[in-house]
Amino acid sequence: MNTLRPVGADARLEIEIRRKSFEASRGGSIDVLHDLDFAVEQNEFACLVGPSGCGKTTTLRLLLGLDHDFEGRIKLPGAGEPRIGMVFQEPILLPWRTVEENVRLALPKALQGKNLDHLFDALGLGKLRAFYPGELSLGLARRAALARALAIEPDLLVLDEPFVSLDEATAQQLRHLLLQIWSEHPTTVLMVTHNVQEAIMLADRIFVLSPRPSHVVGSFLIRVPRQSRNPQVRSDILRSFHERFPTQL
Amino acid sequence: MGSLSLGTSSQGRTEKAVPGRNWGPLLTIAASIVVLAVAWQLAAALWPSRAFPPPLDVLRVMVRETAKGEIPYHLGITLCRVAASFLLAIVIGSAIGIFLGSHPRADRFLDPWVILSLNVPALVVIVLAYIWFGLNEVAAIGAVAFNKIPNVIVTMREGTRALDLRYTDMARVYKFGPFARLRHVVLPQLQPYLAAASRSGISLIWKIVLVVELLGRSNGVGFQINLYFQLFDVASILAYTLAFVCVMLLIEILLVQPLEHASTRWRRRAT
């Protein structure tokens, strides 16, 4: 059976999933993950990429403790009870609470009453704190979801396609914001995306997953510093990525 | 209000000043009541009978009985019974409804009980309660609450089944405590169902309370109506009924509507 235990503060995120399957509606079971092993070093920004339906979101649900029915082991970074900041595919803000209330409700006891001015200002939400989520555009709602995830000072930041269904300009603006805030307060990040170019812009390391039942086909380390990843460099990195993983995506 | 976009220069929200009260709807309601009273007066004039007194006679009885303290006393007693039965029905019905909505196996087992109790006539419950527990307040209030509980269970069970699991997942990831989960995640989603159960509940309960009073209590509006029925005093029957309806209307305007207004303000601002 699975174990889900936190270890010391300097530990990395380790995922070793032997098997995860779902019951099929017509009986039998469908294997989604099989021998999926990878580790994310402390303060590393890692991306998981893979074909649609390969189990990326399922992996995140196991990691978040939303699903305990799997064989394997997950070691979370952080001491004691690790804090995980999560940005879901949709913002999932409580519509009946204001932006600020949504963020504050997520704060652990130790951070209650924390001054959030800097975070809200950095994300351009300073003047929208009293707004309800329904009054915001999708881009602003995603910023609020990001604010909630960062406000808890997470040991691990998990992002599930956080910029999907945004126009490219808005998505790019949010990627820069994320990088800016993350570089001020580095933490371990695991982001799921189907956009390799996005992964090349943001990540230190990319894990490539196979089709279902999914396992890690290989990892792609990007040593070029982020500030040096101009469009030409990114295009070169993308080419070498495709040379290494020609058929996976 | 339209939604803001990323490119918009974000203007700070200053709470809108409360606009001057719009008297239009209130005037319409007042006009509607006046027309009803005039039609009643005309009908009573065309068909003069002790069984159909004009509105002024009813008003006179209302004033007289109020001055004597009779109406306030009996109205107060009935309102207390309504409030007690309502609270019992909402609390017990909601707890059972939420439990059944989130535990499908328990729901499958208990569903026949719910259907059975939904279809037991109110009168049977009242009579049995008086026989088993005696002609007392507990039996009266319990019988009324029992009549309403199945409706609350069904409404709240549907509401619980419709809870959005994405919010539940979010609350688990961010480690909301049980109280925060109930207050900020579950109850706001159940609010429309709770409002529906309360609205239909209060109207059903006060009608059943009158029957309970008529059958087995020695005070309250139901008891008085039974008394005046035996005296064939229609003006007094209507006076008590009108007094009660007026109080219920005040409760609706001064309590229910402002509460509903406050709990759904996020929805109006978002549209």
Side-chain angles (χ1 to χ4, degrees):
Chain A
M1 274 319 289
N2 69 77
T3 53
L4 193 74
R5 58 191 175 84
V7 290
D10 57 343
R12 56 191 194 157
L13 166 69
E14 290 178 19
I15 292 188
E16 293 168 20
I17 298 167
R18 298 278 71 81
R19 185 165 176 265
K20 167 64 189 170
S21 56
F22 286 110
E23 295 291 316
S25 55
R26 292 183 178 181
S29 68
I30 303 167
D31 275 3
V32 182
L33 307 173
H34 191 78
D35 288 337
L36 180 80
D37 297 346
F38 65 91
V40 184
E41 300 300 330
Q42 189 182 15
N43 294 348
E44 188 178 47
F45 197 130
C47 279
L48 269 186
V49 297
S52 266
C54 74
K56 301 187 289 289
T57 299
T58 302
T59 307
L60 295 192
R61 288 185 65 80
L62 302 184
L63 159 64
L64 293 167
L66 296 174
D67 186 345
H68 296 277
D69 183 21
F70 70 102
E71 293 169 28
R73 187 177 74 97
I74 292 173
K75 270 166 67 176
L76 297 171
E81 197 160 317
R83 290 181 196 150
I84 305 180
M86 173 72 195
V87 180
F88 297 87
Q89 275 181 22
E90 293 166 67
I92 314 190
L93 300 164
L94 300 171
W96 40 86
R97 296 286 178 261
T98 62
V99 168
E100 176 153 6
E101 286 166 346
N102 266 284
V103 175
R104 288 205 176 274
L105 278 170
L107 293 178
K109 270 193 187 136
L111 297 177
Q112 294 289 326
K114 177 187 177 187
N115 186 337
L116 297 170
D117 294 352
H118 177 68
L119 180 65
F120 279 128
D121 288 341
L123 284 165
L125 294 169
K127 291 177 175 172
L128 304 173
R129 296 158 77 138
F131 279 63
Y132 287 101
E135 297 174 287
L136 305 179
S137 66
L138 180 60
L140 285 171
R142 283 196 196 282
R143 286 185 191 212
L146 198 56
R148 178 175 60 191
L150 294 167
I152 67 167
E153 298 174 10
D155 299 302
L156 172 66
L157 181 62
V158 180
L159 309 159
D160 187 4
E161 301 195 36
F163 311 122
V164 77
S165 66
L166 288 176
D167 63 85
E168 186 47 33
T170 307
Q172 193 65 0
Q173 202 179 1
L174 279 177
R175 286 178 201 126
H176 283 297
L177 268 177
L178 171 65
L179 277 184
Q180 186 191 325
I181 295 170
W182 177 72
S183 55
E184 283 173 24
H185 303 282
T187 187
T188 311
V189 180
L190 180 63
M191 179 167 117
V192 157
T193 179
H194 62 268
N195 182 343
V196 180
Q197 297 196 28
E198 178 176 84
I200 286 171
M201 175 187 169
L202 297 171
D204 297 307
R205 187 188 296 271
I206 302 172
F207 294 103
V208 181
L209 302 189
S210 70
R212 213 168 54 201
S214 195
H215 62 275
V216 175
V217 177
S219 84
F220 185 83
L221 188 63
I222 306 174
R223 290 201 174 84
V224 183
R226 282 182 191 78
Q227 61 271 26
S228 308
R229 294 181 201 171
N230 59 39
Q232 181 57 49
V233 173
R234 290 209 295 264
S235 159
D236 293 342
I237 298 173
L238 184 63
R239 196 175 318 114
S240 65
F241 179 89
H242 281 308
E243 279 167 12
R244 184 148 171 227
F245 303 101
T247 57
Q248 259 73 30
L249 296 167
Chain B
M1 179 189 278
S3 63
L4 291 166
S5 69
L6 274 169
T8 316
S9 67
S10 6
Q11 293 298 314
R13 165 169 294 284
T14 46
E15 287 297 329
K16 280 182 198 164
V18 180
R21 182 144 195 173
N22 186 1
W23 294 100
L26 282 180
L27 284 175
T28 312
I29 293 170
S32 163
I33 291 170
V34 169
V35 168
L36 182 69
V38 170
W40 178 3
Q41 179 70 43
L42 283 175
L46 287 172
W47 181 48
S49 158
R50 200 179 155 215
F52 190 40
L56 281 178
D57 284 9
V58 174
L59 195 65
R60 258 194 293 275
V61 175
M62 255 176 95
V63 171
R64 190 189 67 217
E65 293 289 302
T66 304
K68 278 164 61 186
E70 286 290 298
I71 284 186
Y73 169 70
H74 291 288
L75 207 60
I77 294 279
T78 300
L79 278 175
C80 286
R81 287 182 186 132
V82 168
S85 313
F86 175 77
L87 270 179
L88 265 181
I90 290 290
V91 171
I92 295 173
S94 296
I96 298 174
I98 292 172
F99 175 77
L100 295 185
S102 48
H103 295 81
R105 288 179 68 183
D107 183 38
R108 274 195 295 277
F109 179 76
L110 292 174
D111 192 45
W113 297 21
V114 176
I115 295 171
L116 194 77
S117 50
L118 264 175
N119 289 292
V120 175
L123 195 59
V124 174
V125 175
I126 297 163
V127 168
L128 286 178
Y130 278 147
I131 292 172
W132 289 339
F133 304 110
L135 292 173
N136 56 50
E137 215 58 64
V138 174
I141 290 169
V144 178
F146 187 86
N147 274 304
K148 179 57 196 168
I149 285 171
N151 299 72
V152 181
I153 290 176
V154 170
T155 310
M156 297 306 282
R157 183 176 62 183
E158 290 311 312
T160 307
R161 282 175 182 162
L163 285 179
D164 192 333
L165 292 179
R166 295 172 313 157
Y167 296 129
T168 313
D169 283 349
M170 185 277 294
R172 280 174 68 185
V173 169
Y174 285 106
K175 301 186 173 73
F176 282 30
F179 179 69
R181 215 174 282 193
L182 184 71
R183 184 177 161 206
H184 301 292
V185 180
V186 175
L187 285 182
Q189 290 186 76
L190 291 179
Q191 190 274 335
Y193 296 89
L194 200 59
S198 305
R199 274 275 165 79
S200 65
I202 202 92
S203 58
L204 182 74
I205 279 173
W206 93 260
K207 288 167 192 168
I208 301 175
V209 163
L210 261 57
V211 179
V212 166
E213 289 174 343
L214 185 145
L215 286 174
R217 306 306 301 138
S218 54
N219 49 23
V221 175
F223 170 79
Q224 287 296 97
I225 286 174
N226 188 30
L227 183 75
Y228 291 118
F229 166 60
Q230 285 163 29
L231 299 173
F232 209 62
D233 184 349
V234 179
S236 294
I237 291 173
L238 288 175
Y240 273 91
T241 310
L242 271 182
F244 198 87
V245 169
C246 286
V247 170
M248 296 308 286
L249 202 66
L250 281 178
I251 290 173
E252 166 78 23
I253 292 169
L254 300 178
L255 194 71
V256 178
Q257 285 184 6
L259 271 177
E260 211 169 77
H261 194 77
S263 64
T264 56
R265 65 188 186 280
W266 62 273
R267 200 171 278 153
R268 279 186 308 281
R269 269 172 54 171
T271 52

